[in-house]
Amino acid sequence: MITTKALAAELGVSIATVSRALNGKPGLSPTLRKKILSEAAQRHTVINPTARMLATAKSENVCFAVYHLSGPVSKDPFYFPILMGLEEETRQVGLQLTISVIGEEEVKDASSWRVIQERRADGVILNGPFVPASFILKLHSLGIPVVLIDNFNELLPVDAVVPADRSGAHEAAMHVLSLGHVKTAILSGPKDWYSNVERSAGFTDACVSKSLDKPDIFYGLDTTFESGRKLFRKAIKKNPTAIFCVNDALALGAIEEATSMGYSIPQDISFTGFDDVEGAISSRIPLTTVSVPREFLGKAAGRLFWSRIDDPSAPRQRIEIATKLIVRESTHRVKKSGKSK
């Protein structure tokens, strides 16, 4: 006999794909379905009861949830590509994807969230580094499968898919340092957001490895364009020649403020962002940034979710997705004579 998990590995398909073939659900090509059923019959496949739940779930929905988003997901440059990747993955296994923006009321009492209360979804994929841990733990205690995207906490017993935040920021720092910069600063959002912590640490580690002073870190209430402008006004008092921002929105806001104050970018100050959202390349000064493959984050989260549904007792997984430094026009070799205005 062979388990669905082992059969999926042998055939090179997802566990959810095997489960749907065995339970007669849509979303597979006739050829693939025939191949899976043939192998399953020959190998006397043992169907995990939880895997069967995936294929026979009452709602056949997975919820893509974002906490505290100010606008629609379809217009968000970071989350929309993630949603597209996840949507493609769910379509392949014949499930539906619902979208929910979580507010303060849902966070206060997860059991009152209509998605859960009315069983509108068989599990939740939570996005963002600032989803309260108490909310995540409550969902877990209710037996709701949860996968986090762009968030991780050692104390939370749930799966997660994250960008390689620390190594990506380290690579960005090494690029800046190779241009001769020694006085650097970091613009960040709240101290307790996972991605902010990891990205700041990666950049700082690179500076320390070169025997340089740790960069000054300036924290904002969020990571928006406007916060970038405000934080730059604080950071410039320390006279950095290069500024690393934990996301592109902060970087673009900071550049806007710097130019309005008379600085020439990148000749006076180099800027580096993180994420590589659409505005990074189309801005007046194309932004050097760390590219996050956001669509692949969504696909990876979907696969991790199907795996959790099939084997709920498996050890918690944290999947890290590689990033890539994209050098554009916002970084420049440091001026020997310092800044000029």
Side-chain angles (χ1 to χ4, degrees):
M1 293 190 295
I2 187 172
T3 65
T4 54
K5 185 175 183 179
L7 181 61
E10 286 192 12
L11 296 177
V13 298
S14 70
I15 299 170
T17 297
V18 172
S19 298
R20 298 196 72 76
L22 296 176
N23 289 281
K25 288 295 179 177
L28 283 73
S29 69
T31 301
L32 179 57
R33 185 185 301 278
K34 182 178 179 180
K35 180 180 179 180
I36 293 173
L37 292 177
S38 176
E39 287 294 324
Q42 293 179 38
R43 306 293 295 280
H44 303 288
T45 303
V46 177
I47 303 176
N48 185 310
T50 310
R52 182 182 294 276
M53 184 188 76
L54 172 63
T56 59
K58 292 181 180 179
S59 72
E60 295 201 344
N61 283 332
V62 180
C63 181
F64 177 91
V66 184
Y67 173 58
H68 233 279
L69 191 65
S70 58
V73 176
S74 61
K75 293 185 178 181
D76 187 273
F78 185 81
Y79 293 118
F80 185 62
I82 295 176
L83 174 61
M84 290 297 94
L86 179 59
E87 193 278 332
E88 180 179 339
E89 196 67 24
T90 55
R91 187 173 63 248
Q92 289 182 5
V93 296
L95 296 183
Q96 299 296 316
L97 190 63
T98 61
I99 303 171
S100 178
V101 176
I102 305 168
E104 296 299 332
E105 290 303 315
E106 290 84 1
V107 166
K108 289 179 182 177
D109 183 10
S111 60
S112 67
W113 183 23
R114 293 182 68 181
V115 169
I116 303 303
Q117 194 176 56
E118 300 175 9
R119 297 297 297 178
R120 295 183 179 182
D122 304 307
V124 179
I125 295 180
L126 284 172
N127 295 264
F130 43 88
V131 181
S134 58
F135 179 74
I136 299 169
L137 286 171
K138 180 62 176 179
L139 292 179
H140 180 73
S141 70
L142 292 171
I144 307 298
V146 175
V147 172
L148 304 179
I149 296 180
D150 195 31
N151 192 7
F152 180 73
N153 186 322
E154 287 286 354
L155 301 178
L156 297 177
V158 297
D159 299 315
V161 178
V162 296
D165 293 309
R166 189 177 290 244
S167 62
H170 190 281
E171 185 181 11
M174 295 304 288
H175 164 66
V176 168
L177 300 181
S178 73
L179 298 176
H181 295 277
V182 296
K183 182 62 175 175
T184 61
I186 297 174
L187 305 190
S188 174
K191 294 181 180 181
D192 57 348
W193 289 10
Y194 171 79
S195 57
N196 294 344
V197 172
E198 289 294 295
R199 295 173 185 183
S200 296
F203 192 92
T204 299
D205 289 346
C207 293
V208 172
S209 73
K210 294 296 183 180
S211 300
L212 299 176
D213 291 337
K214 291 182 178 181
D216 296 303
I217 305 178
F218 299 87
Y219 297 99
L221 297 177
D222 51 38
T223 53
T224 62
F225 183 91
E226 283 304 315
S227 285
R229 300 192 69 152
K230 294 176 183 178
L231 291 176
F232 175 77
R233 290 196 291 269
K234 296 179 180 180
I236 196 58
K237 296 177 182 179
K238 295 289 187 176
N239 298 314
T241 62
I243 295 178
F244 170 71
C245 303
V246 298
N247 76 352
D248 292 340
L250 283 174
L252 295 173
I255 289 174
E256 182 72 17
E257 187 65 18
T259 54
S260 72
M261 293 173 65
Y263 289 92
S264 178
I265 309 301
Q267 290 78 13
D268 291 335
I269 309 171
S270 288
F271 284 89
T272 307
F274 208 112
D275 291 337
D276 197 24
V277 298
E278 185 176 344
I281 191 171
S282 61
S283 62
R284 183 165 53 86
I285 303 172
L287 182 65
T288 293
T289 186
V290 178
S291 180
V292 174
R294 299 183 298 285
E295 187 170 328
F296 190 72
L297 278 180
K299 291 181 179 181
R303 293 167 190 166
L304 187 54
F305 181 81
W306 318 143
S307 177
R308 174 57 55 193
I309 287 289
D310 190 76
D311 188 0
S313 63
R316 178 189 63 180
Q317 293 189 64
R318 174 184 177 275
I319 297 176
E320 189 171 276
I321 307 300
T323 58
K324 181 181 179 181
L325 177 67
I326 306 295
V327 178
R328 297 195 179 106
E329 298 174 26
S330 65
T331 48
H332 191 274
R333 183 163 293 279
V334 68
K335 293 173 66 173
K336 293 182 179 180
S337 58
K339 300 191 300 296
S340 62
K341 287 182 64 178

